[in-house]
Amino acid sequence: MPTVTATKKKTVRINGCVASAQAAKYADVDVIAAYPIRPYTATMMALAQMVANGELDAEYIVADSEHSQLSIAHGASSSGARVFTGSSGVGVQFAYELYSPISGSRMPVQMMIADRTLDPPGDFGSEHTDALSTRDMGWLMGWACDAQEAFDNHLIAYRIGEDRRVLLPQMVCQDGFFVSHITSDVELPDSSQVREFLPPYKHPYPLDPRHPVSHGPQIMPEQGPPLQLERARAMEGSMAVIEEVHKEFGEIFGRHYDPWLEEYKTDDAEVVFFLQGGHGVTARFAIQHMREKGLKVGMVRLRTIRPYPTDRVCEVLSKFKVVGVIETNMGLGSPSSGGVLYADACAALYEAPERPLVISFMAGMGGEAIVLKEFYWMTEKMIQAQKRGKIEKRTHWVGFEE
Amino acid sequence: MSTKGTKIPDWLTVPFAGITPAPSQDKGQNLFPTGNWRAIRPVYRDKLPPCNNACGTNEKIQGYLDLVKRGKYLDAYALIKEDMPFPSVTGRVCYHPCEQACNRGKYDEAISIRAVERFLGDLGQALKHDVVKPGKPNGKKVAVIGSGPAGHSAAYQLARMGYKVTILEKSPKPGGLNRGGIPVWVLPPHVLDREIERLVELGITLKTNTEVGKDVSWDDLKKNYDACVLAVGLTEPNSVRAEGENKEGVLYGLPFLRDIGMGTSKVKLGPRVAVIGGGNTAIDCAREALRQGAVEVTMITVEANTQEMPASPEDLHDMFEEGVDLWHGRAMTAVLGNGKVESLQLHPARFSGAINASPINIDRNAPAEKFAVDNVIIAVGQHASLNWLPPEFKNERGTIKIDRFGRLGDTNFFAAGDIAQFGSGQPLMVVNAVGDGKRVAFNLDKALRGEPLQPRTIAIDVIMDLNRMNMTYFPHFPRVHQGMLNPITRKKTQDEVIQPFTEEQAVEEAARCFSCGTCNACDNCYLVCPEPCITRPERSNGLYKIIVDYCKGCRVCIEECPTGCLEGVPELDFDTGVVRMDTAFAISPGLHGRQAQELVNLASRPAKNI
């Protein structure tokens, strides 16, 4: 039975962290596994307050580390609970051991990430490297660009992950500070809408003394591949479910998202930025500015990176002459010697009959905003390449070059 | 879509996310066979508990304690009867080397094994029909000469094997040393009588008043029987060769006790009695003297202290309780008196060697002590009377010369007990004589069937050491003590001094057993196995099996085995990927060992079914 008090639709001014906490409350989570690290901590603070106030009936467990935190989440999910957890930066890394076991045992744990640059040195600013480093562990993963989208993504992710056809954990990411700590208007739904969209969670084979089963047994080497194949099938198979759920979300809540990509002013664009997360908001403003100057620039914002919408990326990006990938992550020694988004984009484009030129921009690093001047600079680089028919080099470190 | 067109073959189909249904009792967890990870294999291998090893007849002590613990008294009695014809007797008289060897003695207090044995023996006495039955008659006749412990044991085992056994006993009553060497307040005659009845019930013919060399000759034995066991014991008391030993009032230990035991004693003791000797018989004589009317009894030994005495500490304790005085380091050099004992002359003395049978050095230059007594009882051992025996079978000790199988040359004559002793020269204890009789009976059977014989000494198996067990599982728990009659009053009566265990006491004491090295079905392995891959159709020793297809060799069961029965055996020691039960169990006398024959038959079955 839902334990959340019935509420009416209302608009509140909250930041991304609180939006995530609100989403967890609306999802009526059973277990919350917390361990503090900035900037995501504010989410757990908000949830603690909700539990203390009696707004939310959930087990709130403070772990002794992120490793324990994810272990608690794993165990709680195995027992059939809807679980909410989260972390930032190196905290995400410390729990690394658990990511594959959780997805391998097909437990739809949800983890909120407010990105933080990995050490060293201690830097609270947002870089996506923390969550992206776990991107191949079998978790559904995507970035919101504002608090409202963050709120919506949490509900959508639970619905997808808990679908019997999927049963996979989800990382619902937002940029630290740009999203997590900047307030904006968020429409909180009517609780009946959430009930309609997100039914109570029921795992098919929970740990239950009345029906004993073993989770995570040791297996023979030849029994590994079929289980891996099943997990791959679940990840691929989730794509249809993701589309279905986003459609239903739009119908119930009135906010329609393309599950994979947001296209902004791309109709006649010749060069586009390809990015994910909070920089999409500033990119929209910059593009408006540059459009007024007659530059045919647009933006494609990746909303879901796992599963990677390869065909869709290929179809969309191949319409343009030049694609500028804004990384906001570190992929040291990666194919572009910049970030990791470039390689995925290029791989998606490889089969396209007409391939655009692709440039990687190391921008928005360390939690710095990408300023208007830099968007102009990057656009100029793309236009030059378009004219030249050839890129100058694969990766530019924005702000460090002429 | 990379997974498009993929198909998982049936034989690799696994449940969702590998989520495994609950294991079943017979198959364990049978989805994910990870046994090929194993480098070592847990194997139930019963070791020899130290009590079984120390027992003169190798009773399966751990086995019957375990059965008593579980309330299976009749099974326990049947088990003890395999090696011991009269547990009611040894349950009273035994010097219990098992208890000295008991590992529990190194932890808190040894198990009171003898008291449990007596509990079982008395239970057997009360049965209308004994559990032991005679063997299928094989048509062969065997004579057993002597009905003491060794002869009794040999006759019993031979009858169980199907021999037509005749016991020839020279005394009017059977029992030998059991009757004539043990006071009735230790072993009441009705107990022994009942055990003799059991022999007759086995079809054994008992001829009393029949003495070899007088009523029956060597040649008669040869002619009338297929084989013969000589168990005549040491019947003649040793003298201390003191001056005046032939005076009136000088008695000898064994005849003194024997006459009382047979009911033919005419002895009347004076108030002051001395007993010469430091062994168990001397102690029995001293305590018996009190019951025969003596007021002051003094024991005089060559041994310098009680530790040197070949006597059980408990008997010494009980003797002191009854008020017997003990003098050390003295030898009796003369019996003084005018025709009758009036006093003893004593000189300082000590043994020349490390053992009590070595020659005695008497310091005759030292001033003699004079000790006034009315009687002296000399109890310094006994010797054989073998004038009927062909001289080639006598040895330099004056006992029977046997080979290591207990056989006299290449004849079908065997000898057992004190008359065939070797080693220290000390007389055997009852239980050792029983074991000797048992082993000789088995060899006699083998000889008549033309099979190779077994040496009388037993092969030493792995004796379980305390350090190899997991003591975490054994809380300290005090020994249950038997009741005793009050020493002040008991020394005036022939009442049995040591009281029996109640059923509750027997169970409580049996439950203290560590079951050293031997599976006692504690279920620990079954519970701790993380897979789980240990099954047992029921909780019983010998029924536990490792499902090796799933056992990864994690050693948890081995480490957590309280008794140390479970061992890790390197996988390379096995030549198949599945368990071979014949290598998995030992030959030692634990219950697992009893499966040996059954396990041999398994060889013809497909490995998977084993």
Side-chain angles (χ1 to χ4, degrees):
Chain A
M1 285 297 290
T3 54
V4 180
T5 328
T7 52
K8 289 285 165 209
K9 192 155 93 175
K10 61 180 173 190
T11 300
V12 292
R13 187 158 290 178
I14 53 178
N15 64 26
C17 275
V18 177
S20 293
Q22 283 290 350
K25 186 182 91 174
Y26 276 86
D28 190 18
V29 297
D30 302 307
V31 174
I32 298 158
Y35 185 76
I37 183 168
R38 275 191 279 182
Y40 110 102
T41 315
T43 301
M44 289 301 175
M45 289 160 64
L47 277 169
Q49 215 157 47
M50 292 171 190
V51 172
N53 292 346
E55 288 172 57
L56 172 60
D57 180 14
E59 291 296 326
Y60 188 101
I61 305 169
V62 182
D64 61 5
S65 71
E66 286 86 359
H67 189 278
S68 307
Q69 190 188 0
L70 269 285
S71 301
I72 290 162
H74 190 189
S77 187
S78 300
S79 73
R82 179 175 283 161
V83 181
F84 183 83
T85 188
S87 198
S88 292
V90 289
V92 181
Q93 313 292 301
F94 190 51
Y96 209 110
E97 184 186 349
L98 278 304
Y99 297 126
S100 183
I102 289 173
S103 71
S105 57
R106 310 289 296 277
M107 293 300 158
V109 169
Q110 187 171 110
M111 184 171 188
M112 178 268 195
I113 307 282
D115 297 301
R116 169 174 169 173
T117 306
L118 296 179
D119 292 353
D123 178 351
F124 296 132
S126 176
E127 262 178 36
H128 297 177
T129 321
D130 50 3
L132 279 179
S133 70
T134 74
R135 68 191 182 279
D136 296 325
M137 292 294 108
W139 290 54
L140 306 175
M141 183 183 284
W143 262 260
C145 72
D146 58 32
Q148 180 71 64
E149 193 182 8
F151 178 90
D152 294 344
N153 280 358
H154 283 293
L155 296 182
I156 292 168
Y158 268 129
R159 171 70 191 275
I160 298 164
E162 291 171 1
D163 191 291
R164 292 278 175 108
R165 294 166 290 176
V166 180
L167 286 171
L168 284 174
Q170 320 101 44
M171 269 192 203
V172 181
C173 311
Q174 56 182 261
D175 282 84
F177 299 101
F178 295 132
V179 179
S180 74
H181 281 60
I182 291 177
T183 52
S184 57
D185 286 349
V186 174
E187 185 187 289
L188 299 180
D190 192 294
S191 51
S192 67
Q193 289 174 290
V194 179
R195 272 204 297 281
E196 186 188 347
F197 176 70
L198 185 62
Y201 164 57
K202 197 170 185 318
H203 191 277
Y205 313 102
L207 290 176
D208 180 350
R210 290 164 298 186
H211 308 286
V213 290
S214 302
H215 283 191
Q218 302 290 4
I219 58 169
M220 295 279 280
E222 70 263 28
Q223 292 174 314
L227 286 168
Q228 303 292 48
L229 175 56
E230 294 275 20
R231 186 152 45 147
R233 282 173 173 176
M235 182 56 88
E236 268 195 7
S238 72
M239 296 183 91
V241 180
I242 289 171
E243 293 187 353
E244 196 182 299
V245 169
H246 276 80
K247 191 161 168 285
E248 202 180 320
F249 183 87
E251 284 161 9
I252 294 173
F253 295 90
R255 285 185 293 283
H256 299 272
Y257 294 99
D258 181 312
W260 313 111
L261 305 169
E262 177 205 346
E263 290 189 60
Y264 184 74
K265 297 200 189 296
T266 55
D267 287 349
D268 62 342
E270 290 176 349
V271 300
V272 292
F273 290 106
F274 185 56
L275 51 74
Q276 58 176 10
H279 294 295
V281 175
T282 42
R284 283 186 205 132
F285 171 78
I287 286 163
Q288 279 174 27
H289 207 275
M290 291 186 282
R291 281 272 169 180
E292 284 164 15
K293 305 272 183 216
L295 301 175
K296 290 189 172 175
V297 59
M299 173 186 75
V300 177
R301 179 170 68 89
L302 189 61
R303 292 193 68 249
T304 304
I305 189 169
R306 287 294 180 273
Y308 197 78
T310 311
D311 295 339
R312 188 70 197 290
V313 167
C314 178
E315 179 201 326
V316 170
L317 293 189
S318 60
K319 294 187 296 192
F320 311 109
K321 301 294 180 213
V322 183
V323 173
V325 180
I326 298 180
E327 296 282 2
T328 327
N329 74 81
M330 286 281 279
L332 291 166
S334 66
S336 62
S337 201
V340 300
L341 297 185
Y342 169 89
D344 278 5
C346 287
L349 284 165
Y350 187 77
E351 305 291 341
E354 297 280 332
R355 288 197 292 263
L357 297 172
V358 184
I359 307 171
S360 172
F361 293 111
M362 297 300 282
M365 303 297 288
E368 281 294 285
I370 305 169
V371 297
L372 186 60
K373 203 174 122 189
E374 288 173 339
F375 277 109
Y376 270 99
W377 188 87
M378 291 188 282
T379 306
E380 180 60 25
K381 286 287 176 195
M382 289 198 280
I383 290 168
Q384 281 173 13
Q386 187 192 356
K387 282 182 186 157
R388 201 187 299 122
K390 193 168 177 251
I391 60 167
E392 183 189 337
K393 58 176 184 172
R394 286 195 192 89
T395 296
H396 292 282
W397 280 80
V398 179
F400 298 94
E401 295 176 24
E402 285 301 316
Chain B
M1 298 290 268
S2 72
T3 59
K4 196 177 161 191
T6 54
K7 190 173 181 309
I8 296 172
D10 287 348
W11 67 278
L12 279 181
T13 301
V14 288
F16 175 79
I19 291 175
T20 316
S24 68
Q25 176 56 250
D26 54 334
K27 290 181 179 157
Q29 180 277 100
N30 61 356
L31 264 171
F32 299 105
T34 48
N36 63 346
W37 299 10
R38 198 176 52 241
I40 63 121
R41 181 182 298 190
V43 161
Y44 295 94
R45 201 192 304 264
D46 284 348
K47 266 73 71 180
L48 192 62
C51 50
N52 295 27
N53 178 59
C55 175
T57 185
N58 303 106
E59 284 179 11
K60 293 157 190 89
I61 295 168
Q62 173 279 334
Y64 67 72
L65 290 178
D66 190 50
L67 289 165
V68 169
K69 182 175 86 184
R70 290 162 201 276
K72 296 181 175 175
Y73 307 135
L74 206 61
D75 292 341
Y77 174 67
L79 185 61
I80 204 170
K81 286 282 273 189
E82 289 188 9
D83 306 289
M84 170 52 71
F86 41 64
S88 63
V89 174
T90 39
R92 289 170 166 83
V93 310
C94 193
Y95 76 118
H96 52 65
C98 52
E99 295 183 24
Q100 279 85 304
C102 177
N103 273 335
R104 183 125 208 170
K106 298 171 205 149
Y107 186 65
D108 42 28
E109 293 176 278
I111 312 289
S112 191
I113 297 166
R114 186 176 74 177
V116 179
E117 179 179 21
R118 174 170 166 185
F119 169 77
L120 293 174
D122 288 353
L123 180 114
Q125 292 237 322
L127 298 174
K128 191 166 179 225
H129 301 289
D130 203 355
V131 295
V132 177
K133 304 285 178 248
K136 193 166 161 256
N138 60 14
K140 297 213 166 76
K141 292 194 290 180
V142 180
V144 175
I145 318 302
S147 62
H152 191 136
S153 172
Y156 168 83
Q157 298 293 358
L158 288 165
R160 290 180 68 204
M161 289 186 277
Y163 288 91
K164 177 88 189 98
V165 182
T166 306
I167 297 178
L168 308 179
E169 168 58 50
K170 79 171 180 182
S171 305
K173 284 188 186 175
L177 183 116
N178 277 346
R179 191 180 303 277
I182 296 167
V184 300
W185 37 272
V186 175
L187 176 62
H190 67 87
V191 174
L192 181 60
D193 292 344
R194 183 73 171 134
E195 296 296 356
I196 303 283
E197 275 172 42
R198 293 298 196 203
L199 281 186
V200 177
E201 284 167 23
L202 279 177
I204 292 169
T205 309
L206 195 55
K207 289 186 180 166
T208 49
N209 294 314
T210 310
E211 187 174 350
V212 179
K214 203 172 93 187
D215 307 305
V216 186
S217 72
W218 177 262
D219 290 333
D220 292 339
L221 293 173
K222 239 173 149 173
K223 195 169 74 203
N224 296 335
Y225 298 97
D226 295 296
C228 186
V229 178
L230 308 172
V232 296
L234 305 175
T235 50
E236 308 309 311
N238 289 346
S239 145
V240 293
R241 291 188 287 278
E243 211 178 301
E245 208 175 304
N246 57 352
K247 287 193 167 68
E248 196 192 328
V250 177
L251 303 164
Y252 289 92
L254 212 53
F256 168 71
L257 294 174
R258 186 160 58 210
D259 292 346
I260 296 167
M262 296 287 174
T264 56
S265 176
K266 294 184 179 67
V267 169
K268 221 172 140 32
L269 296 178
R272 298 167 302 174
V273 174
V275 177
I276 308 297
N280 286 316
T281 302
I283 293 176
D284 285 345
C285 287
R287 297 175 69 190
E288 185 65 63
L290 290 170
R291 286 159 175 82
Q292 297 297 326
V295 181
E296 282 176 22
V297 178
T298 307
M299 196 164 162
I300 296 163
T301 72
V302 173
E303 288 88 350
N305 51 50
T306 52
Q307 280 78 46
E308 284 184 11
M309 291 167 66
S312 110
E314 284 156 308
D315 288 355
L316 264 174
H317 169 267
D318 296 349
M319 179 184 86
F320 290 137
E321 262 194 353
E322 291 173 8
V324 174
D325 205 2
L326 176 61
W327 292 7
H328 289 297
R330 294 173 176 87
M332 180 177 80
T333 47
V335 179
L336 309 174
N338 186 12
K340 188 188 172 310
V341 185
E342 285 169 13
S343 62
L344 308 179
Q345 176 183 286
L346 306 176
H347 275 95
R350 58 185 173 89
F351 286 109
S352 58
I355 56 172
N356 312 64
S358 58
I360 298 167
N361 289 339
I362 300 172
D363 184 3
R364 288 180 195 272
N365 298 327
E369 286 175 272
K370 206 170 155 191
F371 182 53
V373 293
D374 301 304
N375 289 93
V376 59
I377 304 171
I378 300 170
V380 293
Q382 41 277 337
H383 59 272
S385 163
L386 288 176
N387 45 23
W388 47 272
L389 188 75
E392 66 264 34
F393 298 125
K394 283 188 194 164
N395 64 20
E396 67 282 3
R397 278 208 188 89
T399 57
I400 298 179
K401 189 158 98 189
I402 49 166
D403 62 15
R404 64 201 178 101
F405 308 111
R407 195 174 190 176
L408 282 71
D410 55 0
T411 67
N412 282 341
F413 281 79
F414 287 78
D418 278 351
I419 198 64
Q421 58 162 312
F422 50 70
S424 72
Q426 292 282 352
L428 298 177
M429 297 294 179
V430 171
V431 69
N432 304 90
V434 168
D436 207 24
K438 177 183 81 168
R439 286 183 283 273
V440 159
F442 291 155
N443 271 341
L444 184 153
D445 177 54
K446 287 192 169 72
L448 292 193
R449 292 198 285 129
E451 289 176 11
L453 307 190
Q454 300 268 327
R456 288 203 313 171
T457 48
I458 54 154
I460 298 290
D461 199 338
V462 179
I463 299 166
M464 196 59 191
D465 187 81
L466 194 66
N467 297 329
R468 291 178 63 184
M469 297 163 63
N470 190 336
M471 300 313 288
T472 319
Y473 290 97
F474 302 107
H476 289 275
F477 205 85
R479 174 178 163 119
V480 180
H481 290 278
Q482 284 174 283
M484 303 276 284
L485 292 185
N486 182 321
I488 307 299
T489 51
R490 76 184 181 216
K491 66 182 180 186
K492 307 283 184 207
T493 73
Q494 291 288 332
D495 296 340
E496 203 175 347
V497 172
I498 302 177
Q499 300 302 299
F501 265 175
T502 62
E503 180 182 340
E504 291 73 22
Q505 285 177 313
V507 172
E508 186 181 337
E509 188 59 7
R512 291 178 67 235
C513 176
F514 287 164
S515 191
C516 305
T518 302
C519 171
N520 63 350
C522 74
D523 243 12
N524 230 29
C525 51
Y526 179 76
L527 295 171
V528 299
C529 176
E531 276 307 311
C533 49
I534 295 179
T535 69
R536 78 301 189 255
E538 60 184 275
R539 264 185 80 167
S540 173
N541 179 323
L543 298 183
Y544 289 79
K545 283 183 186 172
I546 311 282
I547 306 176
V548 287
D549 279 352
Y550 307 105
C551 169
K552 293 194 286 293
C554 71
R555 291 190 70 97
V556 169
C557 59
I558 299 165
E559 295 301 324
E560 296 307 314
C561 177
T563 69
C565 162
L566 264 169
E567 286 178 26
V569 178
E571 198 56 35
L572 290 173
D573 288 5
F574 298 86
D575 55 14
T576 65
V578 294
V579 74
R580 282 174 54 227
M581 302 290 268
D582 51 337
T583 58
F585 296 100
I587 44 138
S588 59
L591 288 177
H592 277 300
R594 291 164 162 259
Q595 295 185 328
Q597 193 50 49
E598 186 196 328
L599 296 170
V600 168
N601 300 335
L602 289 179
S604 56
R605 285 176 37 191
K608 283 271 178 193
N609 296 348
I610 301 173

